[in-house]
Amino acid sequence: MTRSDRPTIVDVARAAGVSKGTVSFALNGRPGVAEETRQRILDAARDLGWTPSHQARALSVKRALAVGLVLAREPELLGADPFFPAFIAGVERTLSDRGQALVLQVVPEAEEEAGYRRLAADGRVDGVFLLDLRVADPRIALLEELGLPAVSIARPDVPSGFPAVLVDDRPGIAAAVRHLVELGHRRIAHVAGPSQFLHAQVRREAFTQALADAGLPPGHIVEADFSAAGGARATRELLAHQPTAIVYANDLMAIAGLSVASELGVVVPGQLSITGFDNTALAAYVSPPLTTVRTDPYLWGRAAADALLASIEGGTVDDVPVPPAQLVVRASTAPALPAV
């Protein structure tokens, strides 16, 4: 190798004292290489300054070495919702370790199907992530038709041959309602997400079931869009019914609810208790700090990427369990005032 030459895996193999094939297996994270040998190869690659040629790798394995994520959301809402950056960070962490890339498309909902079809037709990705599952989601059948491997975040409510990261929001919502009931609240309302999204529907159903389990009548429910503006509008509507507590389907709407309550002179938590969902970074720093439900979208991203890459490799991939959502009690909830 001359000084001007870029080091190749042949140079790495020579330096590590192994075959070129062994180097390829080790650098691509494939099984069958002893850990001591793998580390020796990685050390040799680092010492030589070797970096992978994405184009060469893609040609050698006849794959795109990229996976796709199509999001049919308004760009402004994506920027405001902390879930997506955390999930994508988890995906990227795993992909970068494996020399893979993420192709992200943000499209209007009307162009979502076309986005998947373009990715498949152009051979730009080897598989895709399915986020924001819909009720009776048509994308399951679409991806099966296109022959694209996929991993969904949560199990769809329609038959699916794709593995899923087993996210379940029910325990978190149920814990929030139980917490409020234990504090003496009986007039508990809910600001829900859009009903076409499966996770919004699951949270809404969990709220209704938790009230029933506590022997309480159905609470008022207002549907919003997961945005701060939507949460504010829904809060104004609900306060006309004088609830003593509101369970929000995400932190962004709950934080907007705190602001509306303050504007209207409703004291939180003295007159109104509020809970969120997601435990975003801001939740602990608003006033009062927000009682919410902790999830881990970064972990979900890593788990989804591992499962998708294994599926692309042709292995049998089972659903992936993840820790359940947990209630984090802070200062936005307190005992209900005695009925007058």
Side-chain angles (χ1 to χ4, degrees):
M1 183 181 70
T2 68
R3 184 174 299 177
S4 61
D5 289 337
R6 175 177 177 165
T8 67
I9 63 169
V10 173
D11 301 311
V12 175
R14 186 180 299 115
V18 297
S19 70
K20 177 182 171 182
T22 302
V23 171
S24 179
F25 269 60
L27 295 177
N28 285 299
R30 298 174 66 180
V33 181
E35 190 54 39
E36 181 182 347
T37 303
R38 186 187 306 276
Q39 190 57 54
R40 189 166 76 250
I41 291 167
L42 294 175
D43 291 343
R46 185 192 63 243
D47 293 343
L48 289 169
W50 177 88
T51 56
S53 164
H54 187 86
Q55 184 178 24
R57 286 184 61 222
L59 288 172
S60 69
V61 296
K62 295 183 174 59
R63 291 188 187 139
L65 298 180
V67 294
L69 175 58
V70 179
L71 295 175
R73 290 275 195 116
E74 293 296 327
E76 296 80 8
L77 186 56
L78 285 177
D81 191 335
F83 168 84
F84 294 101
F87 177 83
I88 290 170
V91 168
E92 289 280 21
R93 175 70 273 174
T94 293
L95 294 183
S96 65
D97 289 345
R98 301 280 292 275
Q100 304 271 338
L102 176 66
V103 177
L104 173 64
Q105 291 190 1
V106 180
V107 298
E109 188 170 347
E111 298 178 19
E112 186 177 30
E113 178 179 338
Y116 286 109
R117 290 191 181 279
R118 281 195 302 271
L119 288 177
D122 296 345
R124 294 177 60 195
V125 300
D126 301 312
V128 294
F129 300 105
L130 270 178
L131 267 68
D132 279 347
L133 285 178
R134 319 285 164 60
V135 175
D137 201 314
R139 295 175 298 172
I140 304 297
L142 171 65
L143 293 174
E144 289 174 344
E145 173 199 332
L146 296 175
L148 270 179
V151 170
S152 63
I153 306 306
R155 172 56 48 192
D157 62 349
V158 293
S160 169
F162 301 122
V165 177
L166 295 178
V167 172
D168 186 0
D169 296 336
R170 293 178 182 86
I173 293 290
V177 173
R178 281 197 305 272
H179 169 64
L180 293 168
V181 171
E182 289 166 1
L183 291 172
H185 292 277
R186 297 298 179 264
R187 299 196 307 277
I188 305 172
H190 180 48
V191 176
S195 58
Q196 71 265 30
F197 289 130
L198 187 60
H199 61 291
Q201 189 72 12
V202 164
R203 293 174 196 181
R204 180 174 183 153
E205 291 171 356
F207 170 78
T208 302
Q209 185 61 52
L211 287 183
D213 291 344
L216 296 178
H220 289 286
I221 299 174
V222 174
E223 182 175 317
D225 61 359
F226 285 132
S227 73
R233 285 192 298 271
T235 302
R236 292 180 189 279
E237 183 175 340
L238 282 175
L239 287 179
H241 300 284
Q242 297 184 314
T244 64
I246 303 177
V247 174
Y248 290 80
N250 74 349
D251 282 358
L252 194 59
M253 296 193 296
I255 291 170
L258 286 173
S259 178
V260 168
S262 175
E263 176 191 332
L264 297 178
V266 178
V267 179
V268 178
Q271 296 171 287
L272 177 71
S273 286
I274 284 179
T275 71
F277 197 102
D278 287 331
N279 193 36
T280 55
L282 191 59
Y285 298 100
V286 294
S287 182
L290 183 65
T291 293
T292 185
V293 175
R294 179 190 294 120
T295 60
D296 194 346
Y298 177 84
L299 173 66
W300 301 349
R302 295 215 65 170
D306 283 333
L308 183 54
L309 293 179
S311 183
I312 291 166
E313 290 286 342
T316 300
V317 182
D318 296 326
D319 289 344
V320 183
V322 292
Q326 294 183 322
L327 184 67
V328 179
V329 177
R330 297 195 180 101
S332 67
T333 49
L337 291 175
V340 181

